[in-house]
């Protein structure tokens, strides 16, 4: 009988399913590592196996275990990493989904490959550094986070060889299957650092074989593969650190106003978390990045200065803390929403497509800017352009205010002491290196603004040196991520979920 099972050692097979399923045979019985779709079970008679007693899941991703989902009694026990209950238990999954749907924005997912319904009746009893004994076998559990914070590698001795079933902690060539899984949030290196620790743990064990969930099984001692992978994970962790190491913050003085608003220039005010009020000579006003509907700070400024309510509302990027209040403010004041096409396009369809941190209800622009060009309001001429960095869906606009060139830059770049000098990069924001951070840094150097008026109250002086450092960082950060891609292609591996479209 033809079977897709591939023999690895006497009594040990690999079945290429949605993930690799490894089967270890004991007489007519067997134990399996990961489950995939479950198709492999039909081929067991070809191996002389009548019964599977236990299945061990290395982590909770759907490709490892979706075949277990249909509710039914199973003739075997399913073991999963301790702490994975919230990702596996059907009730907990349902309540998490419900909570996510209540949010007014698209939150960062806690799991990139979630199960549709969840698994009933499983034992989350694979505790780090504990062991399981049965079937003349001792399995030891080593924490190797990465594809999930609780992911486990299983170390055992079988047929005279020391084996490690490492799930997605490592992949052939010292890479990581779907490396975006190392991004546990939109900006820190936590996932990369935890993954590095896990690989360091495996490096301390004299392994003969490394048996990952995807890609080729490693038939020779994996010491050099793990050394390479460890160094790469540390490089990624460093890339997630400062993007302009050594740069000063270049503070800018401001006059405090009521409601924690601040005046930076005679005609420029900053208020709430992310917002700016620009005033024209005629007393008309324009708002950038409204983060709050019915803002007391904005109303206070308008009253104090004796100016008119906003006529125009602008946004630097699609994140809800920068544009989530636009529709409410438009309704409140009758102001027009003017957007850059790169920001407007996703905001039109946020109810139909996932865009990280975008509001969950659409924003409709009354006027679209040119991709690159000039847009005028009152006496101000704004130079506008895409400004990808923290997210691909980001723009910048610069105008002269009280004799100073002010660039409104949202979240793409920050002072060095703020979040490593960056709003972060992650695959879900479609953050790019060469065509993102680097291109935007070059544009800043060309535009030579005096002041960067960014999000989160970060108003600081422009320096060439910051952006030269960012250009160098983008080169090394791109390489750090690319080196971890199994195919060597960021488009195929890193942007697999967001659909890298290759646009410049
Ligand atoms: Zn996985
Ligand atoms: Zn943002």
């Amino acid at each position: 009988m033809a079977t897709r099972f591939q023999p690895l050692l006497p009594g040990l097979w690999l079945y290429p399913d949605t993930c690799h399923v490894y089967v270890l045979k004991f007489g007519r019985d067997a134990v399996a590592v990961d489950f995939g779709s479950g198709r492999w079970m039909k081929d067991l008679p070809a191996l002389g196996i009548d019964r599977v007693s236990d299945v061990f899941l290395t982590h909770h991703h759907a490709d490892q275990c979706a075949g277990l989902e249909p509710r039914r009694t199973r003739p075997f026990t399913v073991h999963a990493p301790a702490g994975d209950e919230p990702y596996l238990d059907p009730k907990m999954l349902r309540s998490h989904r419900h909570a996510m749907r209540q949010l007014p924005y698209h939150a960062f997912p806690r799991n990139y490959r979630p199960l549709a319904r969840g698994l009933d009746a499983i034992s989350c009893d694979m505790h780090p550094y504990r062991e399981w004994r049965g079937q003349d076998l001792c399995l030891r559990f080593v924490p190797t986070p990465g594809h999930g914070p609780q992911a486990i590698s299983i170390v055992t001795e079988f047929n005279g060889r020391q084996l490690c079933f490492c799930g997605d902690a490592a992949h052939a060539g010292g890479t990581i299957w779907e490396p975006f899984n190392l991004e546990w949030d939109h900006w820190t290196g936590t996932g990369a650092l935890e993954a590095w620790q896990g690989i360091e743990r495996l490096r301390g064990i004299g392994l003969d074989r490394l048996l990952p969930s995807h890609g080729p099984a490693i038939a020779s001692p994996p010491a050099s593969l793990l050394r390479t992978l460890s160094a790469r994970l540390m490089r990624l962790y460093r890339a997630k650190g400062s993007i302009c190491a050594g740069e000063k913050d270049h503070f800018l003085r401001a006059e405090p106003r009521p409601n924690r608003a601040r005046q930076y220039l005679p005609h420029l005010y900053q208020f709430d978390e992310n917002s700016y009020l620009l005033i024209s000579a005629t007393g008309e006003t324009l708002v950038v990045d409204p983060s709050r509907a019915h803002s007391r700070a904005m109303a206070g400024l308008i009253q104090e200065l004796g100016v008119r309510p906003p006529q125009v509302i602008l946004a630097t990027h699609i994140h809800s803390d920068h544009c989530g209040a636009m529709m409410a403010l438009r309704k409140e004041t009758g102001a027009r929403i003017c957007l850059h096409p790169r920001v407007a396009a996703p905001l039109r369809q946020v109810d139909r497509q996932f865009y990280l941190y975008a509001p969950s209800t659409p924003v409709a622009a009354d006027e679209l800017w040119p991709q690159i060009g000039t847009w005028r309001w009152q006496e101000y001429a704004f130079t506008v352009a895409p400004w990808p960095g923290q997210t691909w869906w980001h723009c910048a606009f610069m105008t002269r205010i009280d004799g100073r060139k002010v660039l409104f830059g949202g979240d793409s770049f920050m002072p060095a002491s703020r979040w490593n000098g960056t709003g972060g990069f992650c695959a879900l924001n479609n953050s790019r290196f060469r065509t993102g951070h680097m291109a935007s840094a070059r544009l800043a150097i060309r535009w030579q603004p005096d002041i960067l008026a960014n999000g989160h109250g970060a108003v600081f002086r422009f320096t060439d040196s910051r952006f030269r450092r960012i250009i160098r960082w983008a080169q090394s950060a791109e390489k750090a991520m690319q080196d971890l891609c199994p195919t060597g292609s960021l488009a195929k591996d890193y942007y697999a979920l967001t659909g890298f479209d290759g646009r410049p």
Side-chain angles (χ1 to χ4, degrees):
M1 179 181 155
T3 172
R4 294 185 68 196
F5 272 113
Q6 302 163 10
L8 296 179
L9 288 173
L12 170 68
W13 291 267
L14 178 163
Y15 189 99
D17 201 306
T18 50
C19 69
H20 296 343
V21 176
Y22 294 97
V23 170
L24 300 101
K25 187 181 177 201
F26 303 88
R28 308 287 301 176
D29 285 1
V31 160
V33 175
D34 288 316
F35 191 81
S37 73
R39 252 185 311 246
W40 55 278
M41 294 199 95
K42 285 206 281 295
D43 283 13
L44 287 175
L47 310 182
I49 294 170
D50 301 329
R51 187 182 83 104
V52 170
S53 63
D54 297 86
V55 171
F56 295 87
L57 303 179
T58 56
H59 59 293
H60 55 246
H61 281 163
D63 51 331
Q64 310 297 121
C65 57
L68 289 164
E69 272 194 300
R71 228 176 204 286
R72 57 164 182 235
T73 49
R74 303 182 196 108
F76 49 85
T77 307
V78 179
H79 308 266
D84 263 358
E85 293 89 341
Y87 308 94
L88 296 171
D89 179 74
K91 239 193 242 131
M92 289 168 91
L93 271 176
R94 268 200 305 279
S95 72
H96 175 71
R97 287 206 174 110
H98 179 74
M100 290 298 102
R101 275 196 300 272
Q102 303 309 304
L103 295 173
Y105 59 90
H106 299 264
F108 200 94
R110 61 177 189 178
N111 179 0
Y112 290 99
R113 298 280 182 210
L115 286 162
R117 288 178 297 268
L119 310 180
D120 289 301
I122 56 161
S123 314
C124 291
D125 58 356
M126 296 164 67
H127 292 273
Y129 305 116
R130 300 250 188 98
E131 60 189 37
W132 176 90
R133 283 170 191 273
Q135 299 285 19
D136 198 24
L137 189 68
C138 175
L139 305 180
R140 296 218 165 111
F141 306 129
V142 180
T144 48
H147 274 230
Q150 274 82 235
I152 287 276
S153 286
I154 302 168
V155 175
T156 192
E157 192 176 83
F158 185 78
N159 244 315
R161 297 271 160 59
Q162 193 146 304
L163 312 179
C164 175
F165 302 95
C166 64
D168 285 326
H171 183 280
T175 59
I176 296 281
W177 174 253
E178 297 189 334
F180 54 82
N181 279 286
L182 302 180
E183 294 178 334
W184 293 3
D185 57 54
H186 75 276
W187 74 284
T188 77
T190 307
L193 186 61
E194 295 259 347
W196 172 81
Q197 278 192 307
I199 296 306
E200 285 295 298
R201 286 177 195 121
L202 295 188
R203 286 185 70 195
I205 307 164
L207 299 172
D208 297 314
R209 296 273 192 281
L210 191 65
L211 304 167
S213 280
H214 296 92
I218 311 304
S220 53
S224 84
L225 181 154
L226 293 174
R227 187 173 57 240
T228 302
L229 178 54
S230 165
R232 286 175 176 170
L233 288 168
M234 188 41 77
R235 278 201 290 278
L236 175 61
Y237 174 66
R238 295 217 172 91
K240 289 273 182 181
S242 180
I243 74 168
C244 54
E247 185 70 14
K248 291 195 188 317
D249 263 19
H250 304 292
F251 291 88
L252 206 64
R253 261 200 79 254
E255 283 299 323
R257 314 302 304 189
N259 300 307
R260 291 193 296 169
R262 288 186 287 261
Q263 181 180 21
Y264 278 96
L265 293 171
H267 291 87
L268 181 66
Y269 295 78
Q270 201 273 321
F271 64 97
D272 292 344
E273 177 69 5
N274 291 316
S275 315
Y276 292 92
L277 188 71
L278 176 64
I279 297 165
S280 82
T282 55
E284 303 291 339
T285 62
L286 169 155
V287 171
V288 176
D289 285 355
S291 45
R292 197 178 295 175
H294 313 292
S295 162
R296 271 182 49 197
M298 190 188 81
L301 282 172
I302 286 172
Q303 197 185 24
E304 180 198 339
L305 303 169
V307 293
R308 279 187 279 286
Q311 201 185 25
V312 172
I313 320 167
L314 314 180
T316 54
H317 64 295
I318 64 166
H319 291 161
S320 127
D321 53 338
H322 294 256
C323 63
M326 282 186 122
M327 294 303 274
L329 185 57
R330 179 180 187 263
K331 206 170 157 194
E332 188 187 324
T333 61
R336 279 180 306 129
I337 294 177
C338 301
L339 291 177
H340 189 276
R342 184 172 294 199
V343 176
L347 284 180
R348 263 199 301 272
Q349 49 176 352
V350 287
D351 52 343
R352 281 167 285 143
Q353 201 176 319
F354 177 92
Y355 288 96
L356 184 63
Y357 293 135
S360 38
T361 47
V363 176
D366 299 297
E367 184 186 339
L368 282 184
W369 288 346
Q371 279 287 349
I372 296 174
T374 308
W375 174 77
R376 287 171 200 283
W377 174 76
Q378 302 290 334
E379 68 269 38
Y380 299 100
F382 289 82
T383 313
V384 307
W387 179 254
Q390 185 197 41
T391 169
W392 180 249
W393 300 286
H394 201 302
C395 71
F397 34 99
M398 184 171 81
T399 189
R400 197 173 277 279
I401 306 171
D402 300 311
R404 314 289 299 278
K405 281 156 77 181
V406 179
L407 187 156
F408 294 94
D411 282 353
S412 282
F413 305 104
M414 287 283 153
S417 66
R418 271 291 185 83
W419 306 308
N420 303 321
T422 159
F425 74 88
C426 69
L428 276 188
N429 263 328
N430 216 343
S431 317
R432 316 259 182 98
F433 304 99
R434 212 164 286 269
T435 57
H437 288 85
M438 197 188 291
S440 295
R442 292 216 164 100
L443 183 131
I445 291 170
R446 273 203 311 280
W447 282 10
Q448 290 286 311
D450 298 308
I451 296 171
L452 292 161
N454 281 16
H456 305 278
V459 185
F460 53 111
R461 298 198 308 278
F462 167 84
T463 45
D464 258 2
S465 56
R466 169 189 315 281
F467 290 96
R468 300 210 181 281
R469 290 176 211 263
I470 290 167
I471 290 170
R472 286 196 294 275
W473 165 86
Q475 274 161 338
S476 64
E478 180 177 69
K479 184 162 185 339
M481 190 55 87
Q482 202 164 19
D483 283 349
L484 281 167
C485 291
T487 70
S489 156
L490 288 168
K492 281 207 183 84
D493 298 326
Y494 179 56
Y495 298 107
L497 286 184
T498 33
F500 182 98
D501 53 16
R503 272 188 302 168

